Amino acid sequence: MLLNSNGVSVFPDNIEDIVLPEQKDRFRQQIEFILEVDKLKNVLRKTILMDRSRRENSAEHSWHIALSVLILSEYAKDSDVDLFQVMKILLVHDLIEIDAGDTYCYDDQGRKDQTRREKKAADRIFNLLPADQARTLRELWDEFEERKTPESRFANALDRLQPFLHNYFTEGQIWQENNIKSAQVKSRMHPVDDGAPVLWNYVSSLIDDGVKKGFLSE
Amino acid sequence: MLLNSNGVSVFPDNIEDIVLPEQKDRFRQQIEFILEVDKLKNVLRKTILMDRSRRENSAEHSWHIALSVLILSEYAKDSDVDLFQVMKILLVHDLIEIDAGDTYCYDDQGRKDQTRREKKAADRIFNLLPADQARTLRELWDEFEERKTPESRFANALDRLQPFLHNYFTEGQIWQENNIKSAQVKSRMHPVDDGAPVLWNYVSSLIDDGVKKGFLSE
């Protein structure tokens, strides 16, 4: 497999000196995966940065929420939540957007075939890896999507909180541009309550306050 | 404390309903920290993305290497390495660049006062958090910088591998623009050997190959 238009391949001629022959395919797949996921840095979300200079991409969003695990863990609904698992879920949760793109949460049209598009993306992207790692990452993504475990519920709460904070603290610029109503935001944000009730109380009060301040409409 | 030029504050009027009075300062500091670290998305590194479309920022770089922990863990020198710790170190390791900027690793002038600038940044940024969390994050950063533990050595290996891969697989564009020599890259990359010897063998062979292909000079 070649990696760019100029045909630079993963291994120079002396690869046999680096890993054992039986590890060669595995190592190649791992490096190719790491190079491939760089594309997540070009997937733009609706959210803007706090300084409003540009839209956020899904790679930096993933970093932001994985870091916030360390800061907000005490608000997880389940006090025994496995934070390492939450972090892994968050680092992986948006990889499917490399193929499927970021679907705006209030885009009802785009959301119709979102599941189909994202499953197809997962099939391709995770399977770039050796089978055992492909399975591990697929399970992390499935866990995130299913929202059944305490870890995935907390992960979902953090994933929804961060763009919400950006929206509120940029005075609802994106809400206004897309004519979003408070009931839509409340509904979208409600999973925060399943993962971190204190954070949901905070979000809920900011939504009410945002209506009062004119950041989003009633 | 106000959060933007328009004076939107962290709490609307009804904050007393959300957290206990004694938690109020703690919660405010945590939210303010999360909003502040958004600035890492505007810290540009020398490295370019794989598609060469733009320079990479330090937030997305941090995501990329934290994710790579999951992929490359089997190459850690110490097979007992605590991967959760490695991940935490990597999510935190560049936060000081919010104030100190990214210092190009071959910029001898900039590196002279790098330590002083970064320590000053650490003092400000981590101390935005409640004291216990400030201490935890500072310890993660100190551990990364000191490179004494197996976790920090593996973290440093991944931190150096990723931009190196970008440089090699974009045919040394940034190396050439900055007239970088192979001996400089070998010296810069040598900590990879302390954290992940197999990856160092790989890097080392790519450096030799890069010279052969003209990506960087002898």
Side-chain angles (χ1 to χ4, degrees):
Chain A
M1 185 174 168
L2 300 174
L3 273 152
N4 64 26
S5 55
N6 303 292
V8 178
S9 84
V10 170
F11 293 131
D13 302 336
N14 59 340
I15 178 60
E16 304 300 347
D17 306 333
I18 299 161
V19 289
L20 298 172
E22 62 269 29
Q23 294 176 321
K24 188 178 166 182
D25 277 351
R26 181 176 179 83
F27 188 65
R28 179 182 56 72
Q29 287 175 299
Q30 291 166 328
I31 297 293
E32 283 176 353
F33 178 82
I34 286 173
L35 297 171
E36 175 72 11
V37 300
D38 190 59
K39 292 178 181 166
L40 195 62
K41 300 169 190 170
N42 280 328
V43 175
L44 292 183
R45 298 162 52 80
K46 275 279 183 200
T47 320
I48 49 174
L49 298 191
M50 287 289 294
D51 67 2
R52 310 191 194 198
S53 60
R54 63 169 171 84
R55 286 167 66 188
E56 184 184 41
N57 70 61
S58 292
E60 56 198 8
H61 156 74
S62 297
W63 164 77
H64 205 167
I65 58 180
L67 176 67
S68 74
V69 173
L70 291 180
I71 311 304
L72 299 176
S73 60
E74 67 205 72
Y75 306 110
K77 187 173 191 172
D78 182 334
S79 61
D80 285 340
V81 70
D82 176 348
L83 297 176
F84 186 28
Q85 184 73 0
V86 178
M87 214 173 258
K88 288 191 278 189
I89 289 171
L90 289 175
L91 291 171
V92 164
H93 85 292
D94 269 347
L95 284 174
I96 47 89
E97 293 184 358
I98 288 171
D99 287 358
D102 179 64
T103 306
Y104 187 40
C105 57
Y106 304 114
D107 170 12
D108 293 335
Q109 198 55 38
R111 287 172 71 84
K112 272 183 190 158
D113 67 340
Q114 185 179 5
T115 307
R116 189 189 54 75
R117 282 184 290 116
E118 293 189 347
K119 275 195 199 301
K120 196 176 155 201
D123 288 343
R124 183 187 78 81
I125 294 161
F126 297 133
N127 284 315
L128 295 173
L129 286 166
D132 60 318
Q133 295 189 317
R135 204 159 43 240
T136 301
L137 266 69
R138 178 61 182 251
E139 284 168 4
L140 288 167
W141 181 66
D142 286 342
E143 185 176 345
F144 176 80
E145 290 292 315
E146 287 164 8
R147 287 193 257 151
K148 284 181 185 159
T149 62
E151 285 73 21
S152 62
R153 287 183 179 145
F154 188 50
N156 271 277
L158 297 178
D159 181 47
R160 297 195 186 202
L161 175 68
Q162 181 260 346
F164 171 83
L165 291 176
H166 281 231
N167 282 329
Y168 178 84
F169 288 107
T170 55
E171 302 176 294
Q173 182 176 320
I174 296 299
W175 286 330
Q176 288 175 53
E177 283 174 17
N178 294 278
N179 195 26
I180 303 300
K181 311 247 175 294
S182 66
Q184 290 174 281
V185 181
K186 280 222 164 141
S187 158
R188 171 70 188 165
M189 294 300 291
H190 213 279
V192 176
D193 198 22
D194 298 330
V198 171
L199 298 180
W200 163 249
N201 292 341
Y202 176 55
V203 164
S204 180
S205 77
L206 291 189
I207 294 174
D208 295 343
D209 188 68
V211 171
K212 230 187 312 182
K213 293 201 169 101
F215 299 170
L216 79 173
S217 47
E218 183 79 55
Chain B
M1 187 174 166
L2 300 175
L3 274 152
N4 64 25
S5 56
N6 303 291
V8 177
S9 84
V10 169
F11 293 132
D13 301 337
N14 60 341
I15 176 61
E16 303 300 347
D17 307 334
I18 299 161
V19 288
L20 298 172
E22 62 268 27
Q23 295 175 322
K24 191 177 162 181
D25 277 353
R26 180 175 178 84
F27 188 64
R28 179 182 55 72
Q29 288 175 300
Q30 290 165 330
I31 297 293
E32 284 176 354
F33 178 82
I34 287 173
L35 297 171
E36 174 72 11
V37 300
D38 190 59
K39 292 177 181 166
L40 194 62
K41 298 168 191 170
N42 279 328
V43 174
L44 293 182
R45 298 162 52 81
K46 276 281 183 199
T47 320
I48 50 173
L49 298 191
M50 287 288 295
D51 67 2
R52 310 190 194 199
S53 58
R54 62 168 172 84
R55 286 165 67 188
E56 185 184 41
N57 70 60
S58 292
E60 56 198 8
H61 156 74
S62 297
W63 164 78
H64 205 166
I65 57 180
L67 177 67
S68 74
V69 173
L70 291 179
I71 311 304
L72 300 176
S73 59
E74 69 206 76
Y75 306 110
K77 187 172 191 173
D78 181 335
S79 60
D80 284 340
V81 71
D82 176 349
L83 297 176
F84 186 28
Q85 184 73 2
V86 177
M87 214 174 258
K88 288 191 276 189
I89 289 171
L90 290 175
L91 291 172
V92 165
H93 84 292
D94 269 348
L95 284 174
I96 46 89
E97 294 183 358
I98 288 171
D99 287 356
D102 180 64
T103 307
Y104 187 41
C105 58
Y106 304 114
D107 170 11
D108 293 335
Q109 197 57 36
R111 287 172 70 83
K112 272 185 191 158
D113 67 341
Q114 185 179 5
T115 306
R116 189 190 55 75
R117 283 184 291 115
E118 294 190 347
K119 274 195 198 304
K120 196 177 155 200
D123 288 342
R124 183 187 79 80
I125 294 161
F126 297 135
N127 284 315
L128 295 172
L129 285 166
D132 59 317
Q133 295 189 318
R135 204 159 43 239
T136 301
L137 267 68
R138 177 62 182 250
E139 283 168 5
L140 288 167
W141 182 64
D142 285 342
E143 185 175 344
F144 177 79
E145 290 292 316
E146 287 164 10
R147 287 194 255 152
K148 284 180 185 159
T149 63
E151 286 73 20
S152 62
R153 287 183 178 146
F154 187 49
N156 271 278
L158 298 178
D159 181 49
R160 299 198 183 202
L161 174 68
Q162 180 260 346
F164 172 83
L165 292 177
H166 281 232
N167 282 329
Y168 177 84
F169 288 107
T170 55
E171 302 176 295
Q173 181 175 318
I174 297 299
W175 286 330
Q176 288 174 55
E177 283 173 18
N178 294 278
N179 194 26
I180 303 299
K181 311 245 177 295
S182 68
Q184 289 173 281
V185 180
K186 281 223 162 145
S187 159
R188 170 70 189 166
M189 294 300 292
H190 214 277
V192 176
D193 197 22
D194 298 328
V198 171
L199 299 180
W200 163 249
N201 290 342
Y202 177 54
V203 163
S204 178
S205 77
L206 291 190
I207 294 174
D208 295 343
D209 188 68
V211 171
K212 229 187 313 181
K213 294 201 168 99
F215 299 169
L216 79 172
S217 46
E218 184 76 57

